[in-house]
Amino acid sequence: MAMSEKPSCTTPSEDFRHFPEIIELNVGGQVYITRYPTLVSVPGSLLWEMFSKNNPCSLIQDNKGRFFVDRDGFLFRYVLDYMRDQKLVLPDHFPECGRLHREAEYFKLPELVKMLAPNINKLNSVGNDLCQSDLEELSTNTDTICNFSSSNNIQVSGPDNPPTLTAGSGSDLKKAGFITIGYRGSYTLSRDSHTDAKFRRVARIMVCGKISLVKEVFGDTLNESRDPDRPPERYTSRYYLKFTFLEQAFDKLADAGFYMVACNSTGTCTITHDQTDDKIWTSYTEYVFCHGVEEGDRHLPGGP
């Protein structure tokens, strides 16, 4: 698709509203392309101020000339959708209403803030009234604490004790569960068996597990682009991390109280070099981490 030419700097005497019809934005690393009238469709909003009161050269641009906004790139899609027709349409079981509410406030969109208010109130009432679906997932044989909000915790003591609310200060949801980390790699083995194998860097670290749990552990370092808008109670095997260091992933899991319970790897020879007889092997490795199991029960279900 042919794009409009990037805006050039103008002198102070020229019109400071000299923006192209098609605008490219870089919002937190996510690229958006929209029309100029869309960005100034809500008078008084932050985007309206940026693109109606400024010279193009006075705005921050990335190395490709896109206008840069240092906000959540994933949530900005809903902000932009709202600015197109002033309507709010969210997917079912949308888990980021609180964060989207904060983005609406930042972008000075009071009507969008009002539209999101009922969703925020509903989430707060769920935390106060006990979430039955989450209680059913908790083991009745293991003491578990779930933090639904900054002021209320749900403590499940066992089959003989009913759940009770206790005061707490945490805001993260802590539940027992498993997370699997996987990656594909390749390495070259020469004909001389005494020569060290040549490993290639890890291209992508995959994450498998329950949506709410993996988001809790990896936060903003999780790339959800391959499986967006998935409800938090569902499972996925399509997320991957924005970094490629296994040790960094292990550190995050350890910080969240996870420990490794199993690992496995497979390898196959895919190519043999015609001239050197070097063999290129591909492998897939998985590491299974667990959280919330008592010290004496650290084994997978069905294991010895």
Side-chain angles (χ1 to χ4, degrees):
M1 180 177 69
M3 301 302 303
S4 300
E5 184 179 353
K6 301 292 183 187
S8 58
C9 293
T10 59
T11 62
S13 61
E14 295 181 59
D15 185 3
F16 55 77
R17 301 180 187 180
H18 182 64
F19 286 92
E21 174 69 14
I22 304 299
I23 303 284
E24 291 187 58
L25 301 174
N26 178 345
V27 183
Q30 299 289 329
V31 177
Y32 290 89
I33 302 175
T34 187
R35 297 176 63 242
Y36 174 79
T38 300
L39 297 177
V40 295
S41 61
V42 182
S45 67
L46 180 64
L47 292 173
W48 177 84
E49 293 176 355
M50 289 175 59
F51 290 95
S52 66
K53 294 185 177 181
N54 292 285
N55 182 290
C57 290
S58 66
L59 301 178
I60 299 176
Q61 301 181 34
D62 64 12
N63 56 5
K64 294 187 177 180
R66 305 185 186 102
F67 297 107
F68 181 75
V69 182
D70 190 16
R71 298 301 292 181
D72 190 306
F74 172 75
L75 294 176
F76 185 74
R77 62 190 293 189
Y78 303 107
V79 174
L80 192 59
D81 280 346
Y82 168 78
M83 298 195 68
R84 290 188 174 110
D85 53 18
Q86 278 71 63
K87 294 181 180 180
L88 176 64
V89 180
L90 297 176
D92 294 336
H93 310 290
F94 183 68
E96 306 285 359
C97 287
R99 295 176 62 189
L100 182 56
H101 185 272
R102 184 177 61 184
E103 295 300 300
E105 291 178 333
Y106 175 82
F107 285 104
K108 300 181 182 179
L109 299 169
E111 292 302 318
L112 180 57
V113 171
K114 292 179 182 178
M115 293 178 183
L116 288 167
N119 296 283
I120 302 299
N121 295 333
K122 183 178 179 181
L123 288 176
N124 292 336
S125 65
V126 168
N128 294 329
D129 296 337
L130 303 183
C131 182
Q132 183 63 31
S133 61
D134 283 322
L135 289 177
E136 292 173 353
E137 292 179 3
L138 298 176
S139 171
T140 58
N141 298 319
T142 304
D143 292 344
T144 309
I145 293 180
C146 296
N147 300 328
F148 282 93
S149 67
S150 60
S151 60
N152 294 320
N153 291 339
I154 297 177
Q155 181 174 355
V156 181
S157 301
D160 299 328
N161 298 325
T164 58
L165 283 177
T166 59
S169 59
S171 60
D172 295 329
L173 183 65
K174 300 293 184 183
K175 292 197 294 187
F178 291 87
I179 291 179
T180 301
I181 300 295
Y183 74 93
R184 297 186 184 277
S186 63
Y187 53 94
T188 302
L189 289 175
S190 64
R191 189 173 185 179
D192 182 5
S193 60
H194 297 289
T195 304
D196 292 338
K198 299 177 181 178
F199 289 90
R200 298 183 181 179
R201 70 179 181 87
V202 176
R204 180 176 291 177
I205 300 176
M206 307 297 298
V207 180
C208 309
K210 192 170 185 178
I211 303 295
S212 59
L213 198 59
V214 297
K215 284 186 176 181
E216 174 189 328
V217 174
F218 295 106
D220 293 338
T221 64
L222 196 65
N223 192 316
E224 308 170 31
S225 60
R226 296 177 58 194
D227 200 5
D229 305 332
R230 199 165 179 82
E233 71 275 8
R234 301 292 295 277
Y235 289 78
T236 183
S237 60
R238 297 179 60 81
Y239 285 177
Y240 62 93
L241 300 177
K242 296 178 181 179
F243 54 82
T244 57
F245 297 100
L246 283 171
E247 295 78 6
Q248 187 175 351
F250 294 167
D251 285 344
K252 285 186 172 294
L253 286 160
D255 291 342
F258 283 76
Y259 50 86
M260 188 186 301
V261 293
C263 66
N264 68 81
S265 182
T266 60
T268 57
C269 180
T270 56
I271 303 176
T272 301
H273 198 283
D274 295 335
Q275 299 179 355
T276 63
D277 288 337
D278 289 350
K279 294 182 178 180
I280 300 178
W281 290 73
T282 60
S283 65
Y284 182 74
T285 305
E286 287 185 336
Y287 303 92
V288 182
F289 288 81
C290 181
H291 175 273
V293 179
E294 294 295 334
E295 184 72 25
D297 298 328
R298 292 190 175 186
H299 59 267
L300 291 173

